[in-house]
Structures are given as C-alpha cells and as structure tokens.
Amino acid sequence: MKVVAPGRALLRPLLTLAPAVAAAVLVAVPASVAAAGTVDAGTTAGATRSVAAPVRNVLPDGPVRNVLPDGVPRVTAPGGVPRAATATSVSTIAAELRRSPVYVDPAASAQLSPAEAAALTRRIKEAGKPLFIAVLPANYPTRNLFTELRTATGITGAYAVRLGDRFDARADSSVLSHTAVSNLVTSVQGESAPTQLTDFTDRALTTMGGSAPSTWGYTGRGGTLPGPALITVAVVLVAGGVGAYTLARRGRSRREAEQRGALEKLRVVVDEDITAFGEELDRLDFHPAEAGADDAMRADYERALDAYEQAKQYMADARRPEDVRAVTRALEDGRFSLTLLAARREGRPLPERRPPCFFDPRHGPSVADATWTPPGGAARQVPVCAADQVRLADGRDPHAREVDTEGGRRPYWDAGPAYGPWAGGYFGGGLLPGLLVGTLLGSMMATPSYAADYGTGYGDFGANGYQGGDLSGADFDPGDFSGGFGDGGGGDFDGGGGDFGGGF
C-alpha cells in the first residue's frame, strides 16, 4: 500500500475542497449581481454594496439554478456564477454532481420540483451510496453522454439520466453489474419523473456497492453575505469537508483491513495450490531434449513452467482478494498445458479445453459433467475429474477441497465470501453462478455488499481497483456497457461502448 506523508495526506482533502470554498465565495457575490449593484460614494473596503436586483439561490439539495426577478433562468456554473441560458455543459452538470447527487437542469425543472429533488438527495445521502441522478431537457444532446458525464465527474458510481420522458442509466461494474442496471432501468419505464426516479433510487440503493464520495461532505447556502460571514462559511465548509473526509477514510480503512484479512486466508489456500502444481512439475518425467520430443511438446512444457512462475509472482504482488484471481487462472492454464503434453506423448487425441474439477481444482481439468446435489440445495451439473465421476456414480462423496473456517474444516463453497476470487480464477464468471447457486459462497457473492468488499462477484472482481465512491477520474473500464438511450446499456446505438459507452 502506498504510504503518503502525514502532511500531504492532510493537505489532500483541503486541496479537494478548495474549489468548494471558492464556489461558496462566488455564490455569495455573483458577477451579475456585482454588475447590477452600485457602490455609494465614500464606501470603504469591506462595506456592503447596495444591489438593485438580488439573486435568489435554491439550496444545493434542490435543483441547482438561479432565477433573477425578471423570471429568466440562469444556468449555474461550477462556481455558482450564473451564465447565459444555453444548453448546460456536461462539465457544469458534473461539477454539480460532485457536490450533490441530484442535478435538475433549469430547462427541465418542471419534471422535478425543488422539494422532490431535495427528498431524492436525502435518500441517496442517507444510504451513503455513489448514485448520481441528472434531470435534463428532452432535446439535450445524447451522443456519448454517459461517457462524457462519467469522465467529467470522475467518480466511480451509478449514473441515471431522465431526459424529457425518457430514462436510462449506466454504472461502473464494481458498483452494479450490467444485468442489474438493465433490470433496474426496465423496471421503472413509463413512470412519471418523480415516481420513476424515486423507484429507481430505492431499488438501486439496495443493490449497488460502494460508498458515497467524499466530495458530498460539504454543502452551502446561496445569497449574498458580508465579508466576515464569507470567511465563516469557508471555515465551516473546510471543517465539515475534513470531517466527512475523515469518516470516509475510516470506512475505507475498515474495508481495507477486512480485505487484508481475507487475503491472508486466501494466501494459505493459494500457496497450497502453487506447491501442488510445483510438485506435479517435479514428478513429470519429461525432458525437452529427450527422444521423440517435438516443438509442440516443448511449447506445452514451457507454458506450464511459465504458468508456475507467473502464479508465484502474482501471489507475491497480490494486495487485494480479487488479485488472487490471476493466480488461480495461471494455475489452471498450467495444468491444461500439462494435460496437452501428456496427450501428445501418449499419442492420444488432444482433449478439449474444460474447466477444472469443481470439487478440487488441483485434480486437474474435468473430463465430464456430473449431477451433484449439495446438502439442502438443488441438483446441478458440475465439471468433475475422472476419479470424482466414479465416486459420484457409486453414491460416494467426492474428494472436496476443504479450507479452515472458524467452525473447522469445510468445503470451500461453504467457507465464506473470501474464496470467491479464488474460485473465479479457476472457473470464470460465466460458469461460476450455476455451480455455486444455493451454496454459502454463491449466496454471499450475490449480495450487494460483496462487490464493495471482494469485487463485483462471480469472477469479475473490480475494474482497475476502484470501488464505488472512489475518485478514479477518467480511469474506468470501457468494456462492460454499450448502446444507446432506452436499452439500459445493451445493443448498439449512437456508437461507443464500455461502462458508459454509446449514446443515450
């Protein structure tokens, strides 16, 4: 883990909050108001200006907009300075979402009242989840909207947009799976804006992982303030932001401690796997220069050796539970290479690529699928080695891989969520859900909290190490979501791809 000097660690939240303090000052005395006001003769520094047309600011928890007495809306820029009523830039929307989870464009204010927006904001903040909602006018440009909004906001999370009477969403895969996003979007289609956004919020908050971003830790009130009050507001904002930052850091420190504990559990099991594969290589009676050895055999052997070295290096570099997936995937590749080598040496047809034995991947690649019913669960087909295939056919228990738990030795599928990344490397995300359904590990991997603590589940364990609420900037996976507006991230419309790819 990278160590940051205490002085710099303390400065980081202050630097992050610096734009917020500047925003508080600018909101208090907007440029348009300063231009409209007049200064009495003889006014000294710090004296109050007399303003002809005061600006009424809505609280940050409501729609972010300014309205002059003539009723003309002004779009709020990141610092709070009104600008001409044109299409709001993505940068402006992103800046407001970094401050608060709900943004209502002035041109779409009829869809969601200030009270409804404030209630939605409270829901999200109280849940402490990285959910961002934007309400935009029907004619807002949609091409690459999610990609640009995610990039400009720079926070790992779920992004939902109501655009006129249409609605869609995207999310980082460490927060919500593609399937979850698609199902959530489909479940609220055709509803009015307040009902739709409330229903989507309630359902998403119970499913998504991650935590609220630290940038939501401060709020401000609009209006003009005298100089001393501005200083007080700035101090309060910084203090509140530092407090929120401290709470966020405590939460992440707790999560990091839990992840370290899970990694240590996995280290014992993975080291056993690496040792077992090394012993297989030691027992192998093959020499690259022996009579009858050809280039294909030597290539198989070399791949097996490389896999062994890679597994050792990956485990030495592992810092989080999901890092273990690369280790077990390398071991699975190495064992299949040995299977190919054996077939070539014996003159047998080359075997098809199959997953390892479900009961213990150290048994090597499976040879068939067999019916197995876990205690209290439903029957399912699982890949098995030849020896376990015979045991099941004879009505005997298979030789299951057992690991240490607080209750003693248990099969890995009944040992808790820490073993999800380990199994994911061996079996991959597509096969694992069906194998583990009804088991303790399968049930825990399907919970919303699993993604935040161990990755996104079923072998897909997080993108670039960022979890919900982390400030990732433009570093997010472009490979999970695509498509245009109205398809919940599927299909192909308006081009693009990735978590936030495509049009709206």
Side-chain angles (χ1 to χ4, degrees):
M1 183 175 64
K2 184 178 180 180
V3 178
V4 181
R8 295 193 179 187
L10 181 60
L11 283 175
R12 289 185 186 276
L14 299 181
L15 291 174
T16 302
L17 290 167
V21 176
V25 176
L26 291 173
V27 169
V29 188
S32 60
V33 176
T38 59
V39 181
D40 296 332
T43 299
T44 58
T48 305
R49 293 176 182 264
S50 60
V51 179
V55 173
R56 301 192 301 274
N57 287 335
V58 178
L59 295 179
D61 279 353
V64 183
R65 64 178 187 272
N66 295 328
V67 182
L68 293 176
D70 60 5
V72 179
R74 297 292 186 263
V75 178
T76 304
V81 181
R83 63 182 182 86
T86 58
T88 311
S89 70
V90 170
S91 296
T92 297
I93 299 171
E96 297 300 344
L97 290 176
R98 287 172 66 90
R99 296 176 58 203
S100 185
V102 179
Y103 171 81
V104 180
D105 191 280
S109 59
Q111 293 204 50
L112 202 67
S113 70
E116 291 165 338
L120 207 57
T121 297
R122 284 193 297 272
R123 262 185 167 89
I124 297 172
K125 285 189 172 182
E126 288 173 359
K129 297 292 184 180
L131 175 60
F132 304 88
I133 294 177
V135 181
L136 305 176
N139 61 350
Y140 196 91
T142 63
R143 185 171 181 82
N144 296 322
L145 174 59
F146 282 106
T147 301
E148 294 175 4
L149 184 60
R150 170 63 175 84
T151 301
T153 308
I155 300 175
T156 306
Y159 292 74
V161 176
R162 169 89 182 194
L163 198 149
D165 60 356
R166 299 183 294 165
F167 177 79
D168 206 353
R170 300 288 190 277
D172 286 278
S173 57
S174 62
V175 174
L176 276 174
S177 70
H178 171 75
T179 301
V181 174
S182 178
N183 291 340
L184 287 168
V185 170
T186 301
S187 72
V188 297
Q189 291 299 335
E191 298 179 343
S192 65
T195 301
Q196 183 179 67
L197 296 176
T198 300
D199 287 348
F200 179 85
T201 296
D202 289 345
R203 295 166 191 174
L205 291 177
T206 62
T207 306
M208 63 191 298
S211 57
S214 59
T215 57
W216 290 352
Y218 57 88
T219 58
R221 294 179 180 272
T224 58
L225 296 174
L230 285 175
I231 296 174
T232 301
V233 169
V235 171
V236 170
L237 286 172
V238 171
V242 170
Y245 175 84
T246 301
L247 290 175
R249 288 294 299 170
R250 287 176 181 173
R252 287 185 180 146
S253 295
R254 175 193 58 78
R255 188 177 70 194
E256 289 171 358
E258 291 175 350
Q259 288 182 327
R260 285 193 298 271
L263 180 59
E264 291 310 307
K265 289 182 180 179
L266 285 171
R267 193 178 301 278
V268 175
V269 175
V270 174
D271 284 347
E272 292 174 354
D273 286 5
I274 295 174
T275 299
F277 184 56
E279 291 172 348
E280 287 182 52
L281 291 172
D282 287 340
R283 291 193 300 267
L284 189 64
D285 62 345
F286 174 77
H287 192 281
E290 70 181 27
D294 58 21
D295 288 343
M297 294 179 190
R298 284 187 282 270
D300 291 335
Y301 182 64
E302 185 175 356
R303 280 194 296 270
L305 292 177
D306 288 344
Y308 176 64
E309 295 300 328
Q310 288 172 353
K312 291 193 297 182
Q313 187 60 54
Y314 290 154
M315 196 61 224
D317 294 340
R319 296 295 178 268
R320 299 180 302 271
E322 58 264 36
D323 295 337
V324 168
R325 184 186 184 212
V327 183
T328 52
R329 184 169 52 209
L331 293 174
E332 194 271 333
D333 286 340
R335 283 199 170 90
F336 183 68
S337 295
L338 290 184
T339 301
L340 290 176
L341 175 59
R344 294 186 204 277
R345 296 181 72 192
E346 297 168 10
R348 293 184 285 106
L350 296 182
E352 63 174 326
R353 184 69 178 261
R354 289 185 54 85
C357 178
F358 170 76
F359 299 110
D360 190 342
R362 294 177 301 181
H363 296 169
S366 60
V367 298
D369 293 333
T371 301
W372 172 70
T373 305
R380 82 283 315 274
Q381 293 286 300
V382 297
V384 296
C385 63
D388 281 330
Q389 182 183 29
V390 172
R391 291 186 187 93
L392 290 174
D394 292 341
R396 294 179 291 158
D397 291 332
H399 283 168
R401 178 66 182 277
E402 294 186 341
V403 296
D404 289 323
T405 70
E406 294 181 358
R409 301 280 290 180
R410 298 289 303 164
Y412 74 86
W413 57 81
D414 279 335
Y419 297 95
W422 174 86
Y426 279 127
F427 301 104
L431 180 64
L432 200 55
L435 300 179
L436 294 176
V437 64
T439 66
L440 176 62
L441 178 55
S443 298
M444 298 187 78
M445 289 178 72
T447 62
S449 61
Y450 183 88
D453 292 331
Y454 302 98
T456 57
Y458 296 129
D460 183 13
F461 299 96
N464 306 323
Y466 293 110
Q467 301 298 330
D470 288 348
L471 301 178
S472 66
D475 187 8
F476 58 92
D477 183 3
D480 292 339
F481 291 81
S482 63
F485 176 76
D487 58 15
D492 187 12
F493 181 88
D494 261 352
D499 276 359
F500 300 86
F504 196 83

